[in-house]
Amino acid sequence: MMTAKEKEVIQAIEEQELFTFAQYDPEAAERTGYSDYSYWRSTIRVFLRNKTAVFLLILMTSLVAFTFIQPYLPGQKDPIKIHIDPNTGLQLRNHPPDKEFWFGTNSIGQDLWARLWSGTRTSLLIAIIVGIWEIVFGTFVGAIWGYVRPLEAFLTEAYNVISNIPTTIILMLIAYILRPSFQTMIIAMCATGWLGMARFVRNQIVIIRDREYNLASRCLGTPTGRIIVKNLLPYLVSVMVMRVALSIPGTIGWEVFLTYIGLGLPLNIPSLGNLLNEGRRVMMAPALRYQLFFPAVVLSVITVSFYVLGNAFADASDPRNHF
Amino acid sequence: MLKYSLRRLLHSLVTLFMVLTLVFLLMRLLPVEGYYGERADKLTPAQKEAILRKMGLLDPWYVQLRNFYLQLLRGDLGVSVIYRANVPVKEILAAKIPYSVAFGLGALVLSLVAGLAMGIHMAQNKGLFWDKFWTWYVVFINAVPGAVYLLFIQLYGTSITGLPMLFDRYNVRSWILPLVSMSLSGIAANAMWLRRFMVDELNKDYIRLARAKGMSSRAIMVKHVLRNAFVPLANYLPASILFTISGSIYVESLYSIPGMGGLLVTAISRQDNPLVQALVLIYSSLGILGLFLGDVLMAILDPRIRLEKQGGAR
Amino acid sequence: MRLARRVLPVLLLGALVLTGCKGAGPAPRKSGDVVGIYSGELTTINYLVTATTAEQSVAANCIDCLVEYDNLGILRPALATSWEVSPDGLTWTFHIRKGVKWLTYQGKEYAEVTAQDWVDAAKYILNPKNASQTADIVYRVIKNAEKYFNGEITDFNEVGVKAKDKYTLVYTLEKPVPYFLSMLTYCPFMPVNGKFLQEVGDKFGTDNEYLLYNGCYIFSVWEPHNQQVFVKNEKYWDAKNVHIPRLIFKFNQEAATLAPELFLRGEITGAGIPTDALDEWMKDPQKSKMVRPAETSFYTYFYAFNFNPKFPAEYEPENWKIAVNNLNFRKAIFHALDRRAALLTTDPYYPERMINNTITPKNFAAYGGKDFTQIGELAEISNRDSFNPELALQYRDKAKQELAGKVKFPVKVMMPYNTGSTSWTNRVQVVEQQLENLLGKDFIDIIPVGFPPTGFLNATRRAGNYALMECNWGPDYADPETYTDPFYPGSNYNWPEMAEGYLEPNGKTKYQNMVDEAKAEVIDIGRRYELFAKAEAFLINEAFVIPYSVGGGGYVATKLEPFTSPYAPFGVSSLKYKGQVVLDKPMSTEEYKAAYEKWLKDREAALQQEAAKAKK
Amino acid sequence: MSEPILSARDVVIKFSLRGQTLTAVRGASLDLYEGESVAIVGESGSGKSVFTKSWIGMLDANGWVDSGSILFEGKDLAKFKTEEEWLTIRGKKIAMVFQDPMTALNPLRTIGSQIQETLELHQGLRGQEAKRRTIEILAQVGISEPEMRYRQYPHEFSGGMRQRVVIAIAIACNPRILICDEPTTSLDVTIQAQILELIRKLQKELKVTLVYITHDLGVVANVADRVAVMYAGEIIEYGTVEEIFYDPRHPYTWALLSSLPQLGIKGQPLYSIRGTPPNLFNEIRGDPFAPRNPQALKIDFVKSPPFFQVSPTHYAKTWLLDPRAPKVEPPEIVKAMRAKYERYAV
């Protein structure tokens, strides 16, 4: 069936004219099936198509931004200042949420709203530092492991040994040998965090190191290090982004765990783990449950968001999902 | 097959040996209080020295290491110092393991039954409502630390249903919440992996052939997909069975179940070095044994591995 | 700190109920079982070795001593029916109760309790290999015991403890000890069956089956980290005064948090109400009727100035050393500390009752009808509040003047705290803000530093790793001398002997000389107390320490009847369930206060009666 | 000619991919006759596989027959919705052999059980009987020691052997139509010939209607009676093997033939078709091959050509056959082919 428009076009052209040769345009021939494929553009395109992920990305960006600018906003309180009830001169303990204290106060009269953001800041900071270490060190070890053959057996064995000691035990021992502090927390989690990344990178490298283009490079005399950096790492960038996103909920989880068993940050440094623990102590009193509820909600939102974002990014960065 | 298993076992033993040595040396970094604990204050230097000498801690490290292995070969896990003064670690464990095993196996069965059902349901409804629904469950359990959701389960689980908050082994009702709590993450893991493996299998060519044969989707699911997807799952099954012995740290302490999970936390936080050492040994051995059995099981289930590892056929 | 409170194993109920009451009722009163929860498991129940409260409370209920306190705090015969002391105060002869049996954990008779059992106990404790943590209690008073312990003599017959015959026990002392009888209520003076000890060897006290029982309860079931069950000893010599048939304790890691809820659900007999949950209980019309104050203990809490700072350079120990040796600097902080504000972190409703103005708490010792804290200069200290902002500011200005150019202001004050204790963590933040706000941030800079619970004291106080720190001390025997120990040279509290300007011609500090003088007075107890009071007043007036509070306290909801169990300022008697009953409902604060008033009167009368008896 | 056993008419197949709709088959028609052997030739992505898959309901979940009809045994397969309906056809009446034998078999089950499964499914054979029949079929597809092979796993077989097994599975139920989707592409050249021969042999023995899908015109001459050329989801020319090889009419067929290496003329560069097939996401107007055709007419860009009959068995879909069109000479190679043929034919 011809559309009205087609009919018009055909009528306009003389029938004879139609049966003459058209101008052959080789470029047009190439264009017919042309696809303007670009890895990153496709990745972003696929990612943006995931509505949930986009929503969470916006949510997390604003939340992280808010966490870091919150102390500079007007009317914010000091997270460790103990507020005094002007009427009684006593500490304003367990004050329920109201206009003045949006999330109420804790058992010694500190502002929960301020503490929550301060705690989120601490936990995110730990998570990000650990995440970065995980990529840098994990990738470094993984790259050597996968690419420098003489070290392969040694590193494999070392990995076997370390990964066979349960993470819980390593974390606990380190947190225990050192004094609870911000640094201890980071050292403990850095000590185990890189393992997964190293193995991942190594596997990826083993899969692609023998691909033709790398063999070609080697034949041309490119040094190993350069091959790793130029040919292999770009392939892994998306993997790293994903690992960082996924390591954030993991790190926060471990922080909560260490705090739970009493090896966490000192109690006077607000962190999500500490706030949760503080809330846990009063959870049996329904009127005070807000002290557990607020940190739990914020923590869940953050961990779930990063987890979903990491997975969404992983999906998006997989070329198989790009068609 | 036998040759492969033996070689694999030998390798596991070497790994175990290295893990134990490493942990043993690491333990020497711990403060020596772990060998006489809070008594430190009350004891004269001579008393302390006597204790350390009795425990062989004044020997050079290599002698200590040798003695440690000799002791181990005799099946002796040492004697607790602080947790239960003078009580052999073996006795302490013997009292804990039944609880952990009972809960572990219960939770394992629950998480296998529910997790596999969920995984199949997800794979069958891939991309549809139920897939997304269960995926959110998996995401939530994986992302949110157990300490958070388990707390709410305890809080509302006991206040809404009236189930007891404390574990009492004679009260069946008191088993419910801990069992459920323990299986949640297993359900999520089983469901997630089974779904992933099944989707992987579903995309394979042999499924197309099976369809072309004229098999019904249901038959394909059962005879091909599920069976094949179960193989990679089986790889970590022994590990998870063995890990049930070590218990769940959170749940055991939340509900006061006298199992191994709580023991580890207490041993470390109270610096009972011989007990910590024994526990690390058990945990690592279980882990390594689990991996080994998983590989052997895989080899039994997957004919390809059997031949490859034997260097057989093609 | 002899009764050193363990961080973990605080048997909740055991620790809560530190009171006593009228004992000798004619027939056992009706009572239900005690059901409690606990969060720390016992390491050992070897009562000859352990020094922790929770573990000793097992012995308190399972093993009887020669003498015991009744519910009014009067010493009564227990396994000794009577005793004599030689005129020189050195030889004590005890007549052992006949027919008392050692029972196994299953309640089977094992042997009779004889005088030899106390000799065997001493022999066990004085053997260094057994690593008894209470050995020094014994060898500090018993003749030749220290020499035997140190291996200087090997013949145990030379040690001053002998079984003259089956029912006669004789202790010979190194020198007269006025408070010797009170010491006998403590674990190291409990008996042990020598044959059994030999039978079980190293296993003694590692499990309930490796212990023999002669007290009011038998430890019949012990499933570590699950439950402990004690059943009444029906063959107990004083069984009619034991009313509670069973004590059941269930383990829970989160005992402190869960206990109030479990109490409301009727699952347990009593619960301490944590500070966090207190508002909830106080504001609720129903719950507020069930909650009442808990007893305070004889632990004394004080803020110590460290004269031997060993903390890291970042906190400027040298600077602190100069500052702390200035009396006005110390006094500025002494008067600036608002103890009531700090105590709100423990007791937000009635903090005043916890405040302690002296080191030796009230009602610990008395002579001639006068409480120790009211003797001499201590009287004035006891009756005022050390918190005085005007004074504090005056001293601050003086200190600033005197120290100008010598120290760097603000002086950094490193203040450790235990991260495992919520109230301590909270308190250190309160104290920091309160002191800095009052004295000015240009004067002092308080730096709280958290340390984990395990090995806490080793890392902080004992290592000199602090500038100003909250410390505590519990009595070892019923005499004011016990409260001088932390400050006497050789202790590892705050090294006041290193303070500058207090040295006397004999090479000892003024405080040491004062204490030595008091210790030497063993005959005239009145004068002895005066001398100790003088020394303590000196310690406080020179602001070596800031007395802060007594221990215990807090709030409980419990069906256990208060003021019926043995009452004792020291020793393990107060840990007994003997004499107590479980009521149908918990006492309200009012009822409790009334009962307390009555108890005070009864005690007053009993003390007078005893004093009168003594005069005869 | 007799009635066709399968008659596909104006089949349009669409897929939905991430919100976009792709038209993979754009009105293809084909008749199959009893016992004949038809080859469908085209570049990859031309829709030849999709087209045949629609006959046994094996389109991927996101694809559907949008319009047209597929008549088989009096039923319109295009209207089939449920799996039950398909199970009456698939494997039983129409069987299919796929491209890659390496992955086509379940690696965890024995060869025997995978063949036997089909027999049990469609012929109701059980136990020993099924096993005996399985071994027979194995022998029939040229596998030596079938009893021993019965118990082995796919990884113990070479690629060619596996393809034989796949074929065995396909013929196990005596289907009326056997579709072979590029069955030799991934095999060694020497093996390819063996498999082709096997397929030919089986087709003759079993008198099955064979549909052979390939992008390689070279193999077509060996297996097919008739050839259909597909481009961009349309069949653009069909006829007997001779007609297509020696008298092709569509410029695309010319281009395909010109690019056959074995037909190349020494000393001349091998011909290759410029450009790529059209993006099937886009709407195609006129002749889809026009943009790649150096001799395209203006009308090719405007209007889709109808089929012009060349002979009773030969049809081509190009405006060049329109009487109004200018005369266009086929390429040299095609002309050479025809000359060669005419020489032999005479």
Side-chain angles (χ1 to χ4, degrees), chain D residues 36 46 51 55 62 69 99 125 157 182 197 238 253 256-257 302 317 320 345:
Chain D
E36 71 164 342
S46 60
F51 183 41
W55 305 348
N62 57 344
S69 64
Q99 180 174 349
L125 297 177
F157 280 54
E182 311 213 23
E197 201 174 310
Y238 62 92
T253 315
L256 271 185
L257 282 167
V302 181
K317 200 181 182 193
L320 289 180

Side-chain angles (χ1 to χ4, degrees), chain B:
Chain B
M1 185 66 210
L2 192 67
K3 212 170 116 194
Y4 164 67
S5 302
L6 281 177
R7 213 171 44 201
R8 187 67 188 69
L9 180 66
L10 199 70
H11 189 239
S12 295
L13 288 178
V14 172
T15 308
L16 183 61
F17 170 76
M18 286 195 281
V19 167
L20 291 185
T21 309
L22 187 71
V23 170
F24 182 87
L25 296 177
L26 204 66
M27 295 296 301
R28 306 298 118 168
L29 288 179
L30 283 183
V32 81
E33 269 95 36
Y35 300 100
Y36 39 73
E38 290 143 21
R39 288 179 283 167
D41 227 32
K42 311 280 197 283
L43 301 177
T44 61
Q47 276 177 315
K48 288 183 197 172
E49 205 193 299
I51 292 175
L52 292 182
R53 191 175 299 284
K54 190 173 147 200
M55 301 191 74
L57 289 164
L58 296 178
D59 299 331
W61 67 269
Y62 50 88
V63 178
Q64 289 187 38
L65 192 64
R66 194 195 60 199
N67 291 340
F68 166 69
Y69 277 110
L70 287 177
Q71 199 186 7
L72 204 61
L73 286 177
R74 286 196 305 270
D76 183 356
L77 289 173
V79 174
S80 165
V81 188
I82 296 164
Y83 180 76
R84 293 280 310 279
N86 280 335
V87 177
V89 171
K90 256 198 290 191
E91 272 176 38
I92 295 177
L93 293 180
K96 305 276 174 195
I97 289 177
Y99 290 100
S100 285
V101 170
F103 271 100
L105 287 181
L108 189 77
V109 169
L110 209 60
S111 61
L112 273 180
V113 170
L116 298 188
M118 193 186 285
I120 295 169
H121 197 210
M122 282 164 90
Q124 280 175 331
N125 293 285
K126 184 174 177 264
L128 303 177
F129 172 77
W130 281 109
D131 185 22
K132 286 176 186 152
F133 183 83
W134 294 127
T135 301
W136 274 108
Y137 165 79
V138 172
V139 164
F140 186 84
I141 296 288
N142 279 346
V144 178
V148 178
Y149 64 81
L150 293 178
L151 214 53
F152 283 91
I153 289 176
Q154 186 185 36
L155 183 58
Y156 292 106
T158 54
S159 63
I160 292 173
T161 62
L163 290 168
M165 204 169 244
L166 292 186
F167 170 68
D168 171 3
R169 74 174 142 156
Y170 303 109
N171 181 355
V172 183
R173 281 158 46 83
S174 74
W175 286 69
I176 299 173
L177 282 179
L179 264 180
V180 169
S181 301
M182 276 185 203
S183 8
L184 287 178
S185 65
I187 292 175
N190 286 336
M192 182 180 80
W193 287 111
L194 188 68
R195 176 193 182 275
R196 187 171 298 175
F197 295 141
M198 280 180 75
V199 168
D200 280 356
E201 295 297 321
L202 275 172
N203 286 331
K204 288 195 174 152
D205 285 351
Y206 73 83
I207 297 298
R208 206 171 46 171
L209 181 71
R211 275 180 76 193
K213 275 182 195 174
M215 288 179 79
S216 66
S217 313
R218 199 184 182 80
I220 292 177
M221 273 292 172
V222 175
K223 290 191 180 165
H224 290 276
V225 178
L226 201 54
R227 203 194 123 124
N228 284 24
F230 193 74
V231 171
L233 211 61
N235 193 6
Y236 77 81
L237 207 60
S240 51
I241 292 174
L242 287 172
F243 259 113
T244 59
I245 296 170
S246 55
S248 155
I249 292 177
Y250 279 129
V251 181
E252 284 190 0
S253 60
L254 270 184
Y255 294 92
S256 288
I257 297 160
M260 294 252 296
L263 183 64
L264 179 69
V265 179
T266 319
I268 291 194
S269 65
R270 293 189 61 191
Q271 278 199 351
D272 193 333
N273 291 4
L275 191 56
V276 172
Q277 191 162 290
L279 284 170
V280 174
L281 181 142
I282 289 170
Y283 275 71
S284 312
S285 316
L286 289 177
I288 292 172
L289 190 65
L291 286 182
F292 164 70
L293 290 179
D295 281 358
V296 171
L297 189 64
M298 269 284 269
I300 292 171
L301 290 175
D302 189 338
R304 287 168 299 179
I305 296 176
R306 212 150 54 197
L307 281 161
E308 258 166 51
K309 298 282 166 83
Q310 266 181 0
R314 272 162 271 265

